[in-house]
Amino acid sequence: MGNRHFIVPAFIAAVLLWPGAASAQTTVTIGIGTQDTTTNTVTTGTIVRELKLFEKHLPKDGKYANVKFQLEWNNFTSGPPVTNGMMANKLHIGMMGDYPLVVNGFTFQSNPESKAQLIAVAAYNIYGSGNGLVVHKDSAYFELSDLKGKVVSVPFGSAAHGMVLKAMQDRKWPADYFQLVSQSPEVGSTNLQEKKIDAHADFVPFAELLPFRGFARKIFDGVETNAPTWHGVVVRTDFAEKYPEVVVAYIKAVLEANAWVRADPKTASEMIAKWTGIDKEVVYIFLGPGGIMTMDPTIKPELVQDAAEDAKVLQNLGRMKEFDVAKWVNDSYVRKAYGELGLDYEKQRASFENYEIKGEDTFCKKPISEPRKAGELWIDGEGIASFSSPACTLGAYADLKAKGKKITVAYVFDTERGIKLFADQAFFAVGGKDEIAPFLLKKDAEAHAAKIGGKVVNFTDALKSAMSGG
């Protein structure tokens, strides 16, 4: 009898240690590095976390039957600290902009334990809009060249830093053309407001956010680099190869987050504003219908090509040696997620379509047939109304104001590039047959005005033009 007392616990211990044993539970910790205030990444981080979408899709059977997942979310204001966390093996999944992504992959090349691979895209603008450079609204500077010798801050190592470096290389300017200093979005914003610096370059959403908050004016947009801007997701290969089903589950969560935004973009923008502190109207200009950013996890050849160009910019500056971008890209997980959800990966990968504004224009009384010529008004206490053209949008704006309605913000689209704009920040070419054409860049508006025999005006004068019918 005495022996049996010891045999039974030993037997139980053996069962507990046996792989797949009914009551043995393993805890797998997943470290995820997010950038909550970087609107481009909210569908890969903030929304997934707040709506608990990762938990919903995590595998629960087979080899995962006795696995308990512990998610550790870590929020950062830019990409480089995410890479540091991944290198230290505290983070397994990270999200960041195009330049930091390339640096992440390159940094991991010399890591004996693990590499890092690009597994999905968060959101992109194929023209490069999203990054931008702003000056104080009272500044005398209107062109990038006006800032020669001036103090320009940018978060070093960020997508916006890459934009500035490329703009300088394109113009064959020396490295000391600006007095470049590294400042986080928060520090740069405060310093610009207090006029301690001459300009601040930043990534999504700050080149829109600071003008929206009333103290800055954008003088350079990423579209002028003629290179896409995008954010993506990287994973440590040791983690992904050990738990491929978990990586696939994460991408399914991202797809659900994208669908959640599209289903009700106004409510989504309001919720994201609460979670991140970025104004809802700014979130909406990026992620709403026809937004500056297209939410799409597929890894498009054009974005891979852009990553290779980013690597070249960094190599030219001596900041990076050889880096094989093709080897770094791994779309097997996102393909599997699409396949398991019955979605067509190849069709989506080939598409650059966003979801668009639709419906009826109640002011001009006609359907919205060309969404990238449409406009929207966010009417306080009522919601978002859509209109069929810039002239109808501005006409409705004046009409609603006259009726005592409060309009939080008006959106229009750049006539040439189809990029969503805050109407009060746009340049308008007016003339011709009652034409009102909005533009992101003053020089584009001037070229169009010359073509139609018109003139370039600001938002206030464009409103007057709409009210007078030309």
Side-chain angles (χ1 to χ4, degrees):
M1 288 292 288
N3 276 348
R4 198 176 300 165
H5 179 71
F6 294 101
I7 292 165
V8 174
F11 171 71
I12 291 168
V15 170
L16 290 177
L17 293 169
W18 190 258
S23 49
Q25 195 174 58
T26 312
T27 299
V28 174
T29 303
I30 309 169
I32 308 141
T34 70
Q35 292 186 59
D36 286 2
T37 56
T38 307
T39 310
N40 239 5
T41 66
V42 293
T43 57
T44 52
T46 315
I47 296 169
V48 172
R49 181 188 67 226
E50 296 295 331
L51 300 183
K52 298 196 169 7
L53 300 180
F54 199 176
E55 291 90 328
K56 177 179 167 182
H57 291 279
L58 280 167
K60 296 169 181 74
D61 50 18
K63 70 177 184 180
Y64 295 102
N66 300 310
V67 170
K68 178 180 176 249
F69 291 105
Q70 190 172 318
L71 303 184
E72 289 187 354
W73 297 91
N74 298 268
N75 176 36
F76 302 90
T77 58
S78 64
V82 179
T83 294
N84 295 342
M86 287 178 70
M87 281 295 285
N89 204 12
K90 287 189 169 69
L91 302 175
H92 308 99
I93 297 168
M95 55 215 67
M96 57 194 84
D98 38 28
Y99 277 87
L101 284 168
V102 169
V103 172
N104 177 285
F106 173 75
T107 306
F108 266 91
Q109 276 191 161
S110 55
N111 183 5
E113 294 165 26
S114 176
K115 301 294 174 256
Q117 286 182 325
L118 178 77
I119 55 158
V121 168
Y124 68 89
N125 181 289
I126 205 66
Y127 300 106
S129 197
N131 296 314
L133 182 142
V134 295
V135 294
H136 194 278
K137 69 175 171 57
D138 303 332
S139 161
Y141 311 128
F142 284 87
E143 292 278 338
L144 211 52
S145 55
D146 295 343
L147 293 166
K148 185 177 183 180
K150 306 295 181 208
V151 178
V152 177
S153 85
V154 62
F156 278 11
S158 70
H161 189 202
M163 172 197 72
V164 172
L165 297 174
K166 185 173 190 304
M168 290 166 73
Q169 279 183 24
D170 289 349
R171 288 160 177 75
K172 299 184 169 47
W173 289 347
D176 61 355
Y177 190 87
F178 308 121
Q179 289 183 54
L180 270 186
V181 295
S182 184
Q183 291 179 344
S184 70
E186 291 70 19
V187 173
S189 302
T190 303
N191 284 343
L192 188 75
Q193 195 166 7
E194 294 172 0
K195 300 184 181 177
K196 289 178 179 169
I197 54 175
D198 297 296
H200 179 65
D202 222 324
F203 45 80
V204 173
F206 295 93
E208 264 66 35
L209 180 71
L210 305 190
F212 176 79
R213 290 191 175 169
F215 63 84
R217 172 166 46 80
K218 191 197 289 184
I219 66 163
F220 184 82
D221 190 274
V223 294
E224 296 175 79
T225 60
N226 297 309
T229 185
W230 53 287
H231 281 67
V233 180
V234 277
V235 70
R236 279 182 64 109
T237 55
D238 54 357
F239 176 84
E241 285 159 12
K242 194 172 180 184
Y243 306 111
E245 299 85 356
V246 171
V247 179
V248 171
Y250 167 77
I251 293 168
K252 287 180 182 174
V254 170
L255 281 161
E256 188 169 342
N258 290 346
W260 178 77
V261 174
R262 288 192 187 109
D264 186 352
K266 177 181 173 284
T267 302
S269 298
E270 289 165 344
M271 297 295 286
I272 294 162
K274 277 184 193 154
W275 297 329
T276 66
I278 301 299
D279 305 69
K280 61 186 186 294
E281 299 86 353
V282 176
V283 174
Y284 190 86
I285 201 173
F286 286 106
L287 303 182
I292 295 171
M293 293 298 161
T294 303
M295 302 170 285
D296 180 351
T298 65
I299 304 176
K300 302 183 189 300
E302 291 82 355
L303 301 183
V304 176
Q305 180 56 40
D306 177 64
E309 293 299 323
D310 293 349
K312 273 186 210 158
V313 169
L314 295 169
Q315 282 158 1
N316 290 344
L317 290 160
R319 291 171 193 234
M320 184 189 276
K321 294 192 176 72
E322 284 307 305
F323 177 56
D324 188 340
V325 168
K327 230 165 84 176
W328 166 68
V329 174
N330 182 352
D331 67 359
S332 66
Y333 303 104
V334 65
R335 282 179 180 277
K336 198 158 185 355
Y338 266 72
E340 288 179 10
L341 293 168
L343 301 170
D344 188 334
Y345 183 81
E346 287 301 339
K347 186 182 174 193
Q348 188 55 46
R349 184 170 170 259
S351 169
F352 289 94
E353 286 178 13
N354 202 344
Y355 74 121
E356 301 292 344
I357 296 168
K358 50 185 191 285
E360 198 73 23
D361 176 343
T362 53
F363 182 74
C364 284
K365 304 201 167 24
K366 55 182 174 182
I368 293 159
S369 55
E370 292 181 86
R372 292 299 168 117
K373 290 199 169 120
E376 292 176 301
L377 300 178
W378 196 315
I379 307 155
D380 198 36
E382 290 185 23
I384 298 168
S386 307
F387 304 93
S388 54
S389 70
C392 292
T393 305
L394 298 188
Y397 185 101
D399 182 58
L400 288 161
K401 280 277 196 191
K403 290 173 179 166
K405 303 273 185 183
K406 187 187 170 204
I407 296 162
T408 314
V409 71
Y411 302 101
V412 290
F413 288 90
D414 180 279
T415 303
E416 197 174 300
R417 295 181 170 94
I419 294 165
K420 202 167 196 174
L421 310 171
F422 288 123
D424 64 347
Q425 302 290 326
F427 298 96
F428 293 84
V430 298
K433 294 180 180 173
D434 300 345
E435 186 176 346
I436 298 176
F439 289 90
L440 166 72
L441 304 174
K442 194 176 184 183
K443 61 186 177 190
D444 290 351
E446 285 166 348
H448 192 79
K451 204 164 71 180
I452 62 168
K455 59 182 178 176
V456 176
V457 298
N458 63 14
F459 176 61
T460 307
D461 289 337
L463 264 179
K464 288 177 190 160
S465 190
M467 287 156 72
S468 65

